[in-house]
Amino acid sequence: MKIACVNCGQAYPDSGVPYKCPSCGGLYDYVEPLAFGEANRSVSLGEGNTPLLSAKIFDCEVYFKCEYLDPTGSFKDRGTATLVSFLRSRGVTEAIEDSSGNAGASFAAYAARAGIKARVYVPDSASGPKRKQIEAYGAEMIPVPGPRSKASEAVIQAAEAGMVYASHAYLPFNLPGYATCAHEIYEQLGCGPGAVIVPAGQGGFLLGMARGFEALLRADKIQKMPMMVGVQASACAPLYDLWKTGTMDDVQEYPTIAEGVRNRWPVRAEAVVEIMRRSGGRFVSVDEAFILSGRDALARLGFYVEPTSALVWRVLEESISDLPDPVVVVLTGSGLKYLS
Ligand SMILES: [Zn+2]
């Protein structure tokens, strides 16, 4: 599939792995829409094919897509499989990544699987289990003091110095991997969902899944796009702000226990908000006070997820009866990664 700079149109080069356009600094993305069932996963740890389980919530039938059961305990594995498969096809032997935890752990695991030497920059505040997991896979871990954005600055410096930056945010190669989640939901339900609720930090999972549903629409498998609902923590909600006010300039970055979605500058924010609007969906921002109670409510149903994933519960509490059926909630990360 053809990839080009979204700003100047220059095609992705046939060799090397630039994380942004060397001519203008623009982002790379796919030029043509994804096709149904299209994802190169030559490097795999058995990601995907996660259960879709239903439960009665506030008198409504809700389906839970259990992405926390992926090989490293989060949905990131779908995108990392396609990203690392690309890296290996380019002969990469060493690469760096920045992450608040889940993407770093996933990258470390798939790099180990592919025989690629990995270095991961993490914010000093990232939770202990994720850091231990990154190191256990054999990656070199660099803790960076300060907010999440400082880890991004550190990794970009290393990338400018010539390292391969296997960015799950800048590079588009994880998006076809995320699209496979949409295809599975369709296959498991036997129809298209009415609404899909998913936590959003960079919004990449939401974007990839929405493209997956668009591929199903073009293939005539479903008749209508599901309403995509992205959930952020109020402590740092740039996608919510962009959707609501048209700008991310006034966004604050406060600490949150939903560390996986704390991201001040989502790099594909415009594309994410645009596809969200096209689906008739919306963003929701959730106050800190509701996050742990959501985690507990999900656990009482047998779903042990991390606080970031529990953001979705507030949407069910507030608006389950307004959402078109069938409602699918994506549970993104394992509770085993978070100690409180
Ligand atoms: Zn460009």
Side-chain angles (χ1 to χ4, degrees), residues 61-186:
E61 189 85 357
V62 175
Y63 293 86
F64 293 91
K65 182 64 170 157
C66 298
E67 289 296 292
Y68 65 98
L69 298 176
D70 273 306
T72 77
S74 89
F75 74 95
K76 298 277 186 189
D77 293 345
R78 289 182 189 271
T80 310
T82 46
L83 171 62
V84 174
S85 295
F86 174 79
L87 295 182
R88 196 162 71 171
S89 77
R90 289 276 155 119
V92 170
T93 56
E94 202 172 338
I96 57 175
E97 168 69 299
D98 60 317
S99 165
S100 60
N102 280 330
S106 183
F107 178 66
Y110 282 78
R113 177 78 169 157
I116 293 171
K117 191 167 177 281
R119 188 197 301 162
V120 182
Y121 294 76
V122 300
D124 224 3
S125 58
S127 70
K130 290 176 186 171
R131 296 167 61 147
K132 286 214 166 63
Q133 191 182 6
I134 290 168
E135 287 184 310
Y137 291 126
E140 181 190 357
M141 197 185 63
I142 316 281
V144 182
R148 172 75 179 78
S149 41
K150 292 289 172 202
S152 305
E153 285 164 24
V155 79
I156 282 170
Q157 266 178 18
E160 302 296 337
M163 293 292 294
V164 169
Y165 180 18
S167 174
H168 63 283
Y170 285 93
L171 292 170
F173 304 110
N174 51 5
L175 298 174
Y178 294 151
T180 62
C181 187
H183 300 161
E184 278 174 32
I185 290 170
Y186 156 74

Side-chain angles (χ1 to χ4, degrees), residues 4-11 20-28:
C5 170
V6 297
N7 190 39
C8 75
Q10 194 174 104
K20 60 179 185 179
C21 175
S23 304
C24 77
L27 273 179
Y28 284 114

Side-chain angles (χ1 to χ4, degrees), residues 36 52 65 179-193 196 212-213 216-217 219-223 328:
F36 176 53
L52 183 76
K65 182 64 170 157
T180 62
C181 187
H183 300 161
E184 278 174 32
I185 290 170
Y186 156 74
E187 281 160 1
Q188 289 168 314
L189 279 176
C191 64
V196 177
F213 285 116
L216 287 162
L217 203 57
D220 257 341
K221 306 272 187 193
I222 59 175
Q223 273 61 59
V328 174

Side-chain angles (χ1 to χ4, degrees), residues 262-330:
R262 178 176 158 185
N263 215 307
R264 176 63 186 87
W265 296 106
V267 301
R268 290 182 198 278
E270 267 83 20
V272 173
V273 169
E274 212 248 326
I275 210 161
M276 161 81 56
R277 281 194 205 287
R278 236 171 26 229
S279 80
R282 61 174 180 265
F283 277 99
V284 176
S285 86
V286 174
D287 289 347
E288 216 55 23
F290 298 109
I291 300 177
L292 281 181
S293 56
R295 192 268 310 262
D296 293 345
L298 285 163
R300 300 286 152 74
L301 296 169
F303 304 122
Y304 191 49
V305 298
E306 63 179 325
T308 303
S309 311
L311 288 170
V312 296
W313 186 260
R314 187 65 187 149
V315 181
L316 296 179
E317 269 182 338
E318 281 189 317
S319 57
I320 178 72
S321 53
D322 303 337
L323 297 171
D325 286 323
V327 174
V328 174
V329 171
V330 186

